[in-house]
Structure formats: structure tokens, C-alpha cells
């Protein structure tokens, strides 16, 4: 698709958002012993790198990769684990770190999967939230920026694997 990109959220705005998110997360986990931050590959890597450096105390990081695809049997989607976390999460305070929540299917399935492993607590953090696109309800504890239903890229988020390296978030605008 022929397209161009237009800056939507600047590096400065992203930094301010991360400062605010980290303040809330640090307050929430002030008494946690060994927080485990779990990022969902690949979109969350840039956000994870910037967010984890703002979190205080003993913090560990791990990653999961999942792919979601349509299920003909019903309107929901199946989520397949491509890479699991290496850590044993039983008894741990776990914070899932996601770049974007759209339909909610990815976060919902990952949340259900990890809850079965008996973490001490489980919270969800997303940099961006597109509530208009939600298909399943997911309780998200920490939300950075709520955005309209736009096609966005950058800061880890791709369009056909491109643009993850953009330091800001941009809107994809189709050209004809
Ligand atoms: C994107 C995004 C979220 C997910 C949100 O990931 O990074 O993980 O989709 O969509 P949902 O709420 O409708 O499930 P994608 O599957 O494109 O993989 P990627 O992170 O490797 O780009
Ligand atoms: Mn993703
Ligand atoms: Mg993607």
C-alpha cells in the first residue's frame, strides 16, 4: 500500500507519559520484593526498554511472544504461544507490558494463561489504548495514552515489520 506517515505522538510526549506511568507503577509496587516485568514481543521491546529503566528496586524482565489468528468457530481469536517466559511466575508479582491494546484478544489470552500459573499478583500496563476497537473486556491497570482508531506505527509498533525503529509514534496515511 502506498502511504506516508505523519507524526502523532512526539518523543517528548512519550517521555512524559512514561514518567507518569512509572510513578504510578513505582507507587503500586513500593513494597514488592521481586517484580517481574513481562513484555510481549515484538511490539513492546522499545516501551519495555524505556519503562523498566524508570522502575525502582529489584526488577526482573522477561518476554513472551504470541500470535493471534481468527477462529472460524466463533468471533474470538486463538492465541498461540511462540515463545514462553523463562521465569517461574508462581508467587511472583507480575506486570505485563504491552505497547498497544486493540481488540483486547492478545492481552486477555496472555492474562488468562499467566493467571493459571498462580502469580502472587498480575497487573497489565499498555502504552496505548484504542478503546473503540475492543472486542473483549480486559482489566488494564496502567494505561499511557488513549488514542482514536487510527493506523499507527513507531516506537516498537510495526506496519508489515517496518517502522518499529521510529523514535516517535506516527499515523499511517494511505496515498492513492
Ligand atoms: C500487535 C500489538 C499488540 C496486539 C494488539 O501485536 O503489538 O500486541 O497487536 O492487538 P489486540 O488487542 O487486537 O490483540 P502483533 O500481533 O502485531 O505482533 P508484534 O507485537 O510482533 O507486532
Ligand atoms: Mn504485539
Ligand atoms: Mg504487529
Amino acid at each position: 500500500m502506498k502511504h506516508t506517515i505523519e507524526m502523532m505522538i512526539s518523543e517528548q510526549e512519550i517521555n512524559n507519559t512514561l514518567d507518569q506511568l512509572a510513578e504510578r507503577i513505582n507507587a503500586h509496587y513500593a513494597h514488592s520484593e521481586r517484580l517481574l516485568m513481562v513484555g510481549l514481543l515484538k511490539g513492546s521491546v522499545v516501551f519495555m526498554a524505556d519503562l523498566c529503566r524508570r522502575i525502582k528496586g529489584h526488577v526482573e524482565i522477561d518476554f513472551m511472544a504470541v500470535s493471534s489468528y481468527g477462529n472460524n468457530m466463533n468471533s474470538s481469536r486463538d492465541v498461540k504461544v511462540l515463545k514462553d517466559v523463562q521465569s517461574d511466575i508462581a508467587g511472583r508479582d507480575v506486570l505485563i507490558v504491552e505497547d498497544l491494546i486493540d481488540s483486547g484478544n492478545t492481552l486477555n489470552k496472555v492474562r488468562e494463561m499467566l493467571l493459571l500459573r498462580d502469580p502472587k499478583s498480575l497487573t497489565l500496563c499498555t502504552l496505548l489504548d484504542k478503546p473503540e476497537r475492543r472486542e473483549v473486556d480486559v482489566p488494564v491497570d496502567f494505561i499511557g495514552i488513549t488514542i482514536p482508531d487510527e493506523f499507527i506505527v513507531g516506537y516498537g509498533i510495526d506496519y508489515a515489520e517496518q517502522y518499529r525503529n521510529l523514535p516517535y509514534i506516527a499515523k499511517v496515511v494511505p496515498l492513492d
Side-chain angles (χ1 to χ4, degrees), residues 7-166:
M7 210 229 340
M8 190 168 116
I9 305 172
S10 69
E11 290 184 67
Q12 183 61 55
E13 199 178 334
I14 293 171
N15 280 332
N16 293 342
T17 302
L18 264 70
D19 287 345
Q20 288 165 18
L21 275 174
E23 203 175 303
R24 294 177 54 206
I25 294 168
N26 281 320
H28 185 90
Y29 290 107
H31 304 291
S32 173
E33 303 260 295
R34 288 163 66 223
L35 176 63
L36 178 65
M37 299 174 72
V38 174
L40 304 187
L41 297 173
K42 304 173 193 172
S44 75
V45 284
V46 178
F47 176 42
M48 172 68 109
D50 284 345
L51 182 65
C52 75
R53 282 180 284 181
R54 288 168 163 88
I55 305 303
K56 300 191 174 94
H58 181 134
V59 171
E60 295 174 26
I61 66 172
D62 206 333
F63 293 93
M64 250 179 120
V66 298
S67 74
S68 94
Y69 48 92
N71 173 342
N72 291 332
M73 304 299 285
N74 56 47
S75 63
S76 83
R77 302 179 79 78
D78 284 329
V79 173
K80 190 170 144 205
V81 178
L82 305 176
K83 183 220 169 291
D84 206 338
V85 289
Q86 288 176 287
S87 327
D88 179 3
I89 68 162
R92 302 284 305 268
D93 287 318
V94 178
L95 170 64
I96 302 176
V97 177
E98 180 61 302
D99 48 295
L100 171 66
I101 177 165
D102 196 331
S103 70
N105 282 298
T106 304
L107 263 185
N108 185 51
K109 287 290 162 68
V110 168
R111 176 177 177 271
E112 285 176 353
M113 270 184 254
L114 295 188
L115 278 176
L116 292 175
R117 302 180 194 176
D118 293 320
K120 182 177 172 199
S121 70
L122 184 69
T123 58
L124 274 54
C125 172
T126 186
L127 175 62
L128 302 171
D129 182 19
K130 274 190 200 174
E132 287 168 40
R133 302 259 305 170
R134 201 73 89 253
E135 291 170 14
V136 286
D137 265 332
V138 196
V140 186
D141 304 274
F142 307 101
I143 296 173
I145 306 174
T146 299
I147 57 168
D149 183 13
E150 303 273 14
F151 188 170
I152 53 151
V153 292
Y155 199 71
I157 300 166
D158 72 306
Y159 168 44
E161 296 300 324
Q162 210 192 141
Y163 300 120
R164 295 194 197 273
N165 60 322
L166 276 186

